Each structure stands twice: as structure tokens, then as C-alpha cells.
Amino acid sequence: MDLGITGKRALVCASSKGLGRGCAEALAEAGVELVLNARGAEALDKTAQEIRDRYGVKVTAIAADITDAEDRARVLDAAGAVDILVTNAGGPPPGMWSDWTRDDFIRALDANMLTPIALMTALLPAMIDRGWGRVVNITSQSVKAPIPALGLSNAARTGLTGYVAGTARQVAQHGVTINNMLPGIHATDRADALDAGVARQQNISIDQAREQRKASLPTRRYGTAEEFGQTCAFLCSQHAGFIVAQNILLDGGGTNATI
């Protein structure tokens, strides 16, 4: 399918690996020019070159901490006129309600709620002026069904979801859509970290923890960054202009809900 976005320009955050990279690759395959951001310069530059070589699109790599105001301003300045924004940030650490301090919540809010809002605030006006834009926020299945050990993520990402629910309906008349993708467990570094935590807690191997989690999913497998990215690219396409303020679950059926 031709997604109709060849020549568009996208800023994809946390895109040196994992789900962010999956989104970047799918957009590149659709002919989109990329501005990639991540904190680690070495991994980011390697990813950028691999995408250039494979898809032949222009790729700009900017190593920066997108949650830092000065770094974010530098990324936005280098990105310029952006048609597509994909926000993404690593999830806060797991734990118990009694573990977290106010500072822990502030860090989670900065990374998983306030930074995506700041990026949208900066980029939406120009999208509105051009009469076209796409924003996809990578959040979590936990906004549909909270995960007890991920209370920091539950709180921060649900706050972003509420913000998007209202904002998306204000900008849709201008040809700009905002939607959220809610990943369940995917074969990424984040999954490895979570599985390692379960392994320590239950005194089992990481492989055993992984197989245990897979058995809890109807698909009996983890998702892939590639299939996640293709869904992101569709939401950014010309065909998705009537999809507004939606929360798309990509969890292998793991969230047990009727709607």
C-alpha cells in the first residue's frame, strides 16, 4: 500500500533502537525524511547510517536528552518543519507504591507526559498552518489496564492520554491527527529489563521468566519492533486522517477487555 507520505519529514524520538527504531524504519520505507533523536550518539549514528543505506532517505541524527529543555530546543531547531512527530521515552522503573518519592513521580511525568506535551506544543502550530500533520505518542497498555508494578508509568502515561483526548479533537479540523500506540510486551531491551526483574523476584532464570510471560499472551509470543513500526506508519499515512484521539493496543491480546 502506498501510504502517500513520500517526502514528508518526521521527528522520531528514542529511535536508535527498539520500538522507536521500528517506527523510524517503517516511515523511511514509506519515503519519509527522518530526524532521529536519542541520548547515545554512537548507537544513534549507527542506526541513522543503516537506515540511509537501506532506504535511501535523508536522515539527520541528533544526540540529545529530549526531556531536557535546552536539548529539546536544540532538537527542535535542527528538525525544522516537521510533518510527523513520534514521541517516545523509556518507561520508569518498576516497583511498589511504597518505593516511590515525589522526585520519582516528577521524573516520570517529565519523561512520559510533559516532554511529549512540550513537543506537541512546539510543532502543532506549523502543522495547523500547513493543514496537515500526524502525531503518534508511544505510551503503554497500562493506560487501558494498570500494571501494579508500573505505577509510575500508569500515572504519567494516563495523564498524557487525557491531554491527547482533548487536544486531538481541537486540532483535527486542521488536518492534524493525534493518536497513541499502546504497546504490550515486545522483544526489546525494555522487555529484557522487565523479565530480568521478574527473574530476580521469583528466583528463576531470565529465559524462564520470558517463557512464563509468553504463556500469558494469546499469541504466545512477544511483539516485534517491525510490526509495531508498520502500524505507526499507517497512523501517519494519508489514509488515517479520520482516526483521531485513539489508543491503539498492540499487546498480543494481553489486555483482557471487551472494548
Side-chain angles (χ1 to χ4, degrees), residues 86-159:
V86 180
T87 76
N88 184 28
M96 291 287 291
W97 62 269
S98 54
D99 297 333
W100 301 313
T101 66
R102 183 180 189 277
D103 287 343
D104 293 322
F105 279 100
I106 293 299
R107 282 191 291 270
L109 290 168
D110 271 340
N112 300 120
M113 176 182 172
L114 299 178
T115 292
I117 290 174
L119 289 167
M120 284 184 272
T121 300
L123 295 174
L124 284 173
M127 292 181 184
I128 290 168
D129 287 345
R130 290 192 296 271
W132 196 93
R134 299 287 186 266
V135 178
V136 173
N137 301 294
I138 300 175
T139 65
S140 169
Q141 71 182 101
S142 67
V143 304
K144 283 278 191 180
I147 300 171
L150 299 182
L152 294 173
S153 179
N154 296 343
R157 297 189 193 278
T158 302

Side-chain angles (χ1 to χ4, degrees), residues 52-76:
R52 290 186 198 103
D53 293 343
R54 182 173 182 181
Y55 301 104
V57 298
K58 182 179 178 181
V59 182
T60 302
I62 309 170
D65 181 355
I66 201 69
T67 68
D68 177 81
E70 290 185 5
D71 273 14
R72 184 165 59 248
R74 182 163 58 85
V75 171
L76 289 168

Side-chain angles (χ1 to χ4, degrees), residues 167-222:
T167 303
R169 289 172 169 86
Q170 293 174 314
V171 303
Q173 63 183 307
H174 304 290
V176 179
T177 68
I178 310 175
N179 293 287
N180 305 315
M181 293 178 67
L182 283 54
I185 199 75
H186 285 69
T188 65
D189 288 349
R190 173 68 166 169
D192 291 341
L194 293 174
D195 288 338
V198 171
R200 287 191 299 270
Q201 186 180 50
Q202 299 184 12
N203 196 28
I204 58 177
S205 71
I206 292 179
D207 286 341
Q208 287 174 314
R210 188 174 292 121
E211 290 306 312
Q212 180 176 284
R213 192 188 300 270
K214 286 180 181 179
S216 72
L217 299 173
T219 55
R220 299 297 191 269
R221 68 173 179 88
Y222 287 1

Side-chain angles (χ1 to χ4, degrees), residues 7-11 33 35 75-84 123 126-127 130:
K8 298 290 188 185
R9 186 172 173 86
L11 168 59
E33 295 183 2
V35 179
V75 171
L76 289 168
D77 183 62
V82 169
D83 305 293
I84 295 167
L123 295 174
M127 292 181 184
R130 290 192 296 271

